[in-house]
Structure formats: structure tokens, C-alpha cells
Amino acid sequence: MRTFVASKNKKNMSKRYTITAALPYTNGPIHIGHLAGVYVPADIYSRYLRLTGNDVAFICGSDEHGVPITIKAKKEGVTPQDIVDKYHAIIKQSFLDFGISFDNYSRTSAKIHHDTAQEFFKTLYKKNEFVEEVTEQLYDAEANQFLADRFVTGTCPKCGNEEAYGDQCESCGSSLNATDLINPKSAITGNVPSLKETKHWFLPLNKHEEFLREWILKGHKKDWKPNVYGQVKSWIDDGLRPRAVTRDLDWGIPVPVEGGEGKVLYVWFDAPIGYISATKEWAEREGKNWEDYWKDEDTKLVHFIGKDNIVFHCIIFPSMLKAEGSYILPENVPANEFLNLEGQKLSTSKNWAVWLPDYLIDFPNQQDVLRYALTANAPETKDNDFTWKDFQARNNNELVAIFGNFINRVVVLSNKYYDGIIPAPSDYLEIDEETLAAVKAYPAVISSSIERYRFREASQELMNLARLGNKYLADEEPWKTIKTDEARTKTVMFVALQIASALAVLSEPFLPFTSDKLKGILNMNDNGWEDVSTKDILIPALHHIGKADLLFSKIEDEQIEAQLEKLIASKKANEAANKVIEPQKDEIVFEDFTKLDLRVGTIIEAEKMPKTKKLLVLKVDTGIDKRTIVSGIAESFSPEDVIGKRVTVLVNLAPRKLRGVESQGMILMTEDEGGNLVFVNPDTDGVNNGLQIS
Ligand SMILES: [Zn+2]
């Protein structure tokens, strides 16, 4: 029925793993997109590998260099160090809160990283792996600064996006040099930059093209995800060019060779080296040899990243490692696609996100619910959408109704019938044998999915195990047999407790907090992943378990409504902030203005224009007469809303027919922040109809 790929692979399993998760950029907190795309899958994988007895270094840290941090610091009037200190602390806390089990979470401003990155650069420099070249770069004379990366925006030469950055176009994903941009503009002053000569070191990616073709296009055609492979292939087929690895900036790691004064390493050169320095830091602390994790062919290196980082992890960093010569290359780079939120792209600047610190305020102690919802709906093969309704359904229909319900029944009944002392079973019936055999198959099934980086599938298999438990209880009905057949009831409860124990072990990579809690309730010894398939008994008779404690609780509609309202509020705030102020029109003379005859009036009748959406037919008392005016306000106001409204009327506008009705004038309107129409009205008492506005 099932295929067991994992058990077949077990013999070839490496003993040592270096697992890296993309270094988060410290210019803001992290949101659900980061968690779904990188950190939860990397954590599931690492926890699984540890549970199956492997030696794992799970490595990450804050990426603290680069232009966006200096831009943010300038905007806020603080130093770049202030910015990175603030967000490093927030991000690190979020990872702790969500149970992301890094062996080391470091930062690229650490001395060990500066030393490691400089050493790496010097090695390539000595090996003549760089091309040193004086080129003309964009320069902002007013700011007295070269414009690299995010300091310059312009039109992407590949797709025409007018807001491409100097290092990358976020619209088409192209990696760019600042001088590629059409109509470049300084992000500091808004000036059109000039060109100025400066010396830089380039990594000649073209020199590594053959190696990349062999290694990835031939060597990893089958085992790398199609989205990753496809992007790499199109990059290589497009032709690789030398890429500058230094910058004229003052925030970053100083270039450690002659002529490097006033220059720093390009953030994308130093950031991936951060994986190495964070491993060194960890190894020093733990008394291990870091080189085992980066230079031993038996070590399996896996990079977890989002799809925007594919080029850096599959082309640039491997070329650096290859050029250095003593490092292993990644075995796989299982990049995910993007997670959207309620149908729109997640965006830090537009506050279209669910921030992790905010989530924990609204859903305290429910980290596993978010981990599960994000895994069950992970953007593994295509962009996917997070919706609060789906989140609620995953919790209420799966975690509460299946997993939680099964455990709760087992624990409550065990306490009720046997005071929490596990009963000894009598002879098994066929259903018991079958059920226990099915449980034993789950470790291999789930392993097979995890080892192929299919975490969604793995999480659904885990839920199937809980379903199996529920079905077993529903079929065997111990709450009925307790009255008729004591021995049978004991057997059923014993089997159910074995399933609960299996769930406690196998849920650990996905739901670490729940797994801990459940192990506590069951008062379990340490069972490993394989024990679930090899041991006949995970939790023995006469063993004493604790009292029931709910693992999950129902999420109510009101909680979901509140989250949706938060998003609507962000959307409105964005629209208000992004509202374009129309430029002033051509100058007019006073005589032009006096041609307009504006009067105070009152709407005395209103009705919808038949067969239209936008038009109301109004009767307006202008003080001169009572006249008909057709107004395009029906989408913002109903007739009842406007009867009695004081309004400003342009009375000498030439009459015109709208849908056969003659409109004799115009009512002045504007728009509020949310795009709703608003009357421009005289709101002072005693201002009578017919008075002129001048
Ligand atoms: Zn583009």
C-alpha cells in the first residue's frame, strides 16, 4: 500500500549535517512569510535529523550589513549599529518564541564574522580569484557618496520596472549592477547621479560557469526542486558575468587588502560566510571542530532559503566556496516560493504582514498552531496564500478536532477508569494487531516526505496518525465496553496509549511545544523516532500518566474577524499614505475665478437614476431656484443619506443631459483617505441658501 523510500535510504544517510537557514535582514521584525518559507521547514528538518540520531549543526544569524540598514538609520536619525542591535534582539526572541531550534544564532557584526569574512576574501585575493578593475560607478556629488545597491533606483533593463534597485529588480528577479539601470536616481538626494572612477574587486562568475553546469545542471537535475533548478538554469543560460564583491560604503566589513581603504565587502559576499563564522562560534563553545561541518566530504550541507535568494546560494556562494577550494558544496538548496497574505504579496513597508511578536500577543502560547497552519499550507512548489479562515480551520478541524480530541479522550478515560495507571492488555484482536502495525509504519512514511523536503505532505501524514487513533477509539468504543467487558477495555486503552505515545514522538519536529506537553502528560521516557517502528511497547503497563490538559483550544470567529480588521486598517493607512497629491494646475487670473458662480444650497429631494450604479438625481434649493442636478455619488451615498444636506453648488455650469435627465449645475465633492466621497459643505448655522462663495 505504501512505499518506504526512507528505509531504503537509511543506509546511505550521512551522519553529520550542516543545516543553514537564510540570515534574516535586520531592518525589521520577521513575519509569517519568513517563518513559512525558511525557518519552520528548516527547523522541522533539523529536529527530525536529531531525533533520528544524526549529528546536526543548525546555523543562522542576523545579516547586519548592507545599504537598507544605513538608509533606515539615516531616516531615523540613529546609527546603523542602533538599528541592527534593536532588530537582532527582536528577531532572536521571535525564533526562541517559535521554537526554532538553532544550535547557534549569531550576527554578522560579531568579530568572529569580520575575521572569517576578511580571511576568506584574502584567500581568494592571494589565489588571484578576483579581477581588480577601475570602473566608472554611479556617484551622488551632493551626498559625496557612490551609489551602490539600494542607494540607487531606476528602470530595470530587463522588464521595464521603474523601481528596480541597483543590485536587483524585485519585479523580474534579475540581479543587476547599478550601472545597468536606465534613468538612475539617487535614493539619498533624488539627484541624477554622475559617473566617477573607483577600484573594485570582481568575482568572475563566468569563470565558474562550466563547474556550475556540471555540478547543478547535470549533477542535481533529479534531486533539486524544479523551481530552484529552473531558476539556476535560466541564470546560467543567460550568461554569467563578473560581479563586484566590494563597495564604496562605510557600513560593513573593511576590505582587508591594499587599496581597500574606505571600501567594504559587498553584503552578499559577507552574509553567506556568516554561516561559516556562526558554525565556528558554536564549535568553539561546544568544543567541536568546525571544519568537520564545512570541509568533510561526509557532511551534508543544506541551505534553506526563500526563492529571492536562489542566485546567491546556488551560483555566487558556491562559486566562492569552489574558488576558495577547501569547502564542501551544498547537497541541496530547497528554496520555497512566496507566501501571500489574504491574496496580496506580503510587504514590510506596506505593513501587509502578520508580525510574529503581534501574533503571540493575540494568540498566546499558540505557536504550534501557526507552525502547523504554515506547514500544512507551505509554498513548497508555488506561491501560496495564507488566510485567517484557513488558519482557523486548520486549528479547529484538525488540531482540536482530530489530534487534541484523540489525546484528550485517551488521557481522560485512562484517569477515569484506571486512575492514570496504564492497564495490562489481554490477547490482541485482529484490529489491534492491524492498528499497531499501521502505527509502526508511520516513521518511515513521514521520514520519506521530510527527506524529500515535502513538509506539507509530512504534516498531513502526522495528522493521519491522529485520525487512525480517533477511528480506533470510535470503532472499539471503550466507553461502552467498560460496562460489559473489562479485559477488552483494558486492551483497547493500552493500544490507544501506544498511539498517543507515537504521536508524542513523531509530532516533535512539527509541533515541538505540543510534543513536550504531551510527553509530560504521558510521563514518557525518551523514545526516538525509530523506536516507534521497532518497539512493540512505547509506554508499558503499570506506568503512571498525568492528568488531562488541553493541547489545543478552539479559535472563535471573533478572533479571526479582529485579524481581518487589522489588515483592513493597514490597507486604509497605506492608501492614505500613498495618495498622490495632484500637481497644481496652470495659473489663472482673478477674472477667471469670478466666472464661477458658487452658491450655498440644500438637497431637498434625491432618488436613484434607474439602471445606473453611480448616479443620483437630486433636487437642490439653490436660493435662486429649486433645480435638478445629476450627481455621480450613488456608490458613496443612498438617497436618504443626502436629503437635507447643505452643499456647495456651481450654478452657472452649462446644463447637460445625463441619461436623458438635464443636470443644471454641479455639487462640489472631494474624497477622504479611504477613497469615499465627501461633500464640500458650509457647516455653519445661519448661512442661507443662495449666498455666493467668493
Ligand atoms: Zn526587472
Side-chain angles (χ1 to χ4, degrees):
M1 260 164 57
R2 296 183 183 278
T3 49
F4 302 117
V5 180
S7 51
K8 208 171 60 204
N9 288 344
K10 211 156 52 190
K11 282 180 226 83
N12 326 328
M13 214 187 244
S14 305
K15 279 181 284 175
R16 196 186 300 112
Y17 285 82
T18 302
I19 313 295
T20 73
L23 306 186
Y25 199 61
T26 35
N27 65 343
I30 54 174
H31 56 57
I32 55 168
H34 303 122
L35 212 53
V38 177
Y39 304 106
V40 167
D43 187 59
I44 293 172
Y45 192 67
S46 299
R47 284 176 179 272
Y48 160 76
L49 290 172
R50 290 191 199 105
L51 264 176
T52 46
N54 294 285
D55 175 8
V56 175
F58 182 22
I59 296 298
C60 192
S62 295
D63 179 1
E64 305 189 326
H65 297 131
V67 170
I69 283 164
T70 61
I71 291 180
K72 193 170 179 97
K74 255 185 198 154
K75 235 184 232 169
E76 295 186 9
V78 297
T79 65
Q81 191 65 48
D82 292 333
I83 296 285
V84 302
D85 286 348
K86 175 180 165 185
Y87 290 112
H88 171 73
I90 293 173
I91 293 170
K92 190 174 179 182
Q93 188 59 44
S94 285
F95 286 139
L96 274 176
D97 288 341
F98 279 83
I100 307 299
S101 61
F102 296 130
D103 291 299
N104 194 25
Y105 188 77
S106 188
R107 52 194 304 191
T108 60
S109 61
K111 183 174 184 300
I112 194 167
H113 175 66
H114 278 235
D115 293 348
T116 305
Q118 288 188 330
E119 205 50 53
F120 200 106
F121 184 92
K122 278 195 270 185
T123 304
L124 296 200
Y125 179 82
K126 282 184 201 142
K127 291 183 77 179
N128 273 322
E129 290 287 348
F130 293 130
V131 178
E132 195 175 309
E133 210 177 329
V134 174
T135 56
E136 291 195 312
Q137 295 295 326
L138 302 181
Y139 185 76
D140 184 332
E142 189 186 330
N144 188 23
Q145 189 165 346
F146 280 97
L147 301 176
D149 309 331
R150 309 259 146 159
F151 272 139
V152 55
T153 61
T155 302
C156 170
K158 304 226 162 120
C159 77
N161 166 28
E162 290 177 7
E163 284 163 26
Y165 294 109
D167 55 346
Q168 194 173 18
C169 168
E170 290 192 338
S171 182
C172 68
S174 294
S175 170
L176 302 170
N177 290 317
T179 45
D180 296 338
L181 293 172
I182 302 161
N183 299 326
K185 217 170 75 180
S186 165
I188 309 168
T189 62
N191 293 343
V192 174
S194 52
L195 288 169
K196 190 176 167 181
E197 284 194 339
T198 178
K199 181 167 79 176
H200 281 294
W201 287 270
F202 291 76
L203 184 68
L205 293 175
N206 44 313
K207 199 182 128 184
H208 300 287
E209 187 179 319
E210 266 323 294
F211 142 70
L212 290 166
R213 274 188 190 283
E214 276 295 311
W215 171 56
I216 303 177
L217 298 189
K218 281 197 187 156
H220 288 295
K221 191 166 185 160
K222 295 232 170 79
D223 59 334
W224 283 23
K225 293 170 70 168
N227 57 329
V228 177
Y229 185 90
Q231 226 194 82
V232 171
K233 183 170 185 325
S234 94
W235 266 86
I236 296 176
D237 289 347
D238 228 25
L240 298 174
R241 291 182 297 160
R243 180 129 181 148
V245 295
T246 53
R247 292 290 188 266
D248 294 289
L249 294 172
D250 51 13
W251 178 245
I253 299 175
V255 173
V257 297
E258 209 191 308
E261 299 77 22
K263 298 173 196 293
V264 298
L265 302 181
Y266 175 38
V267 63
W268 264 110
F269 183 85
D270 94 66
I273 297 173
Y275 300 138
I276 300 170
S277 26
T279 311
K280 278 187 183 173
E281 192 178 65
W282 165 77
E284 256 172 41
R285 199 170 61 216
E286 300 288 319
K288 294 182 185 250
N289 176 11
W290 74 270
E291 290 186 311
D292 289 346
Y293 295 84
W294 280 95
K295 299 189 173 184
D296 183 337
E297 283 298 330
D298 288 337
T299 297
K300 194 169 159 182
L301 172 64
V302 181
H303 297 309
F304 282 85
I305 57 167
K307 73 169 165 188
D308 49 338
N309 288 346
I310 290 174
V311 60
F312 297 105
H313 286 79
C314 297
I315 292 187
I316 299 176
F317 189 43
S319 297
M320 288 162 57
L321 294 173
K322 178 81 176 147
E324 203 278 349
S326 66
Y327 285 87
I328 54 171
L329 296 169
E331 173 78 19
N332 210 323
V333 185
N336 271 337
E337 298 287 292
F338 287 148
L339 185 74
N340 294 323
L341 171 60
E342 299 286 351
Q344 279 181 48
K345 202 176 163 186
L346 278 153
S347 164
T348 299
S349 56
K350 291 181 182 155
N351 194 27
W352 190 258
V354 178
W355 303 102
L356 299 191
D358 293 351
Y359 172 89
L360 275 186
I361 293 170
D362 295 343
F363 298 96
N365 300 317
Q366 296 183 76
Q367 291 94 323
D368 278 351
V369 179
L370 187 60
R371 284 179 65 118
Y372 180 73
L374 293 176
T375 305
N377 192 27
E380 288 177 359
T381 51
K382 59 176 175 55
D383 287 358
N384 234 348
D385 201 23
F386 176 90
T387 68
W388 281 108
K389 286 273 174 220
D390 177 71
F391 167 81
Q392 184 188 26
R394 295 282 180 194
N395 180 73
N396 293 357
N397 305 343
E398 295 176 23
L399 294 174
V400 174
I402 301 169
F403 195 117
N405 181 42
F406 169 67
I407 297 296
N408 196 49
R409 286 203 284 184
V410 172
V411 177
V412 166
L413 294 181
S414 298
N415 276 288
K416 190 172 163 191
Y417 302 158
Y418 312 113
D419 288 330
I421 299 167
I422 297 181
S426 344
D427 288 343
Y428 288 147
L429 303 183
E430 201 180 327
I431 175 80
D432 308 326
E433 305 271 11
E434 276 174 15
T435 301
L436 289 170
V439 172
K440 284 185 176 184
Y442 272 95
V445 170
I446 298 174
S447 293
S448 163
S449 299
I450 291 178
E451 286 173 18
R452 288 175 294 139
Y453 309 101
R454 296 183 181 180
F455 303 104
R456 293 169 77 127
E457 191 180 274
S459 71
Q460 294 317 294
E461 290 296 352
L462 176 73
M463 197 50 69
N464 285 338
L465 174 57
R467 281 191 181 95
L468 176 80
N470 257 341
K471 183 171 186 318
Y472 177 76
L473 278 189
D475 289 347
E476 300 312 303
E477 300 182 302
W479 46 88
K480 282 190 181 164
T481 57
I482 188 74
K483 293 165 197 148
T484 55
D485 189 344
E486 246 181 71
R488 177 64 195 148
T489 309
K490 284 181 177 172
T491 306
V492 169
M493 290 309 299
F494 181 83
V495 169
L497 279 154
Q498 305 310 313
I499 306 175
S501 306
L503 275 172
V505 175
L506 301 184
S507 63
E508 203 241 74
F510 309 91
L511 309 167
F513 299 94
T514 306
S515 168
D516 268 2
K517 197 169 170 183
L518 181 51
K519 284 174 188 163
I521 293 172
L522 297 177
N523 188 19
M524 272 176 76
N525 296 325
D526 276 344
N527 277 304
W529 190 268
E530 292 302 327
D531 293 334
V532 176
S533 42
T534 55
K535 285 188 180 173
D536 285 328
I537 294 173
L538 290 170
I539 186 168
L542 297 180
H543 175 89
H544 212 133
I545 67 165
K547 297 275 179 226
D549 188 1
L550 283 186
L551 297 180
F552 304 102
S553 50
K554 197 174 168 218
I555 291 173
E556 303 294 341
D557 290 347
E558 296 77 58
Q559 293 174 274
I560 296 305
E561 288 305 320
Q563 295 304 321
L564 290 171
E565 271 163 28
K566 262 195 194 179
L567 287 174
I568 291 168
S570 304
K571 191 179 255 180
K572 281 194 173 154
N574 282 329
E575 280 166 1
N578 293 338
K579 195 119 216 165
V580 181
I581 303 297
E582 293 291 333
Q584 183 176 307
K585 291 180 182 170
D586 290 344
E587 201 172 272
I588 58 167
V589 292
F590 184 66
E591 283 67 32
D592 292 335
F593 174 70
T594 58
K595 285 181 186 167
L596 301 176
D597 192 346
L598 295 165
R599 303 284 177 128
V600 175
T602 302
I603 299 175
I604 49 177
E605 286 171 26
E607 58 185 28
K608 284 203 79 166
M609 173 86 83
K611 293 179 191 167
T612 68
K613 271 193 197 154
K614 287 192 177 171
L615 300 180
L616 288 187
V617 181
L618 309 173
K619 181 68 66 73
V620 182
D621 179 351
T622 63
I624 307 166
D625 51 20
K626 296 186 174 66
R627 64 173 76 183
T628 300
I629 295 176
V630 179
S631 187
I633 59 173
E635 284 179 325
S636 298
F637 300 98
S638 66
E640 306 80 69
D641 292 338
V642 301
I643 293 173
K645 265 253 190 283
R646 306 299 306 279
V647 293
T648 307
V649 193
L650 175 61
V651 292
N652 63 337
L653 184 68
R656 54 184 185 141
K657 274 198 172 174
L658 288 161
R659 300 281 176 123
V661 178
E662 190 174 75
S663 180
Q664 301 160 308
M666 191 172 86
I667 292 174
L668 303 196
M669 306 293 299
T670 185
E671 266 182 25
D672 72 5
E673 288 177 350
N676 304 303
L677 292 174
V678 177
F679 287 98
V680 177
N681 63 341
D683 59 359
T684 310
D685 288 340
V687 178
N688 294 326
N689 290 347
L691 283 177
Q692 270 192 314
I693 295 167
S694 57

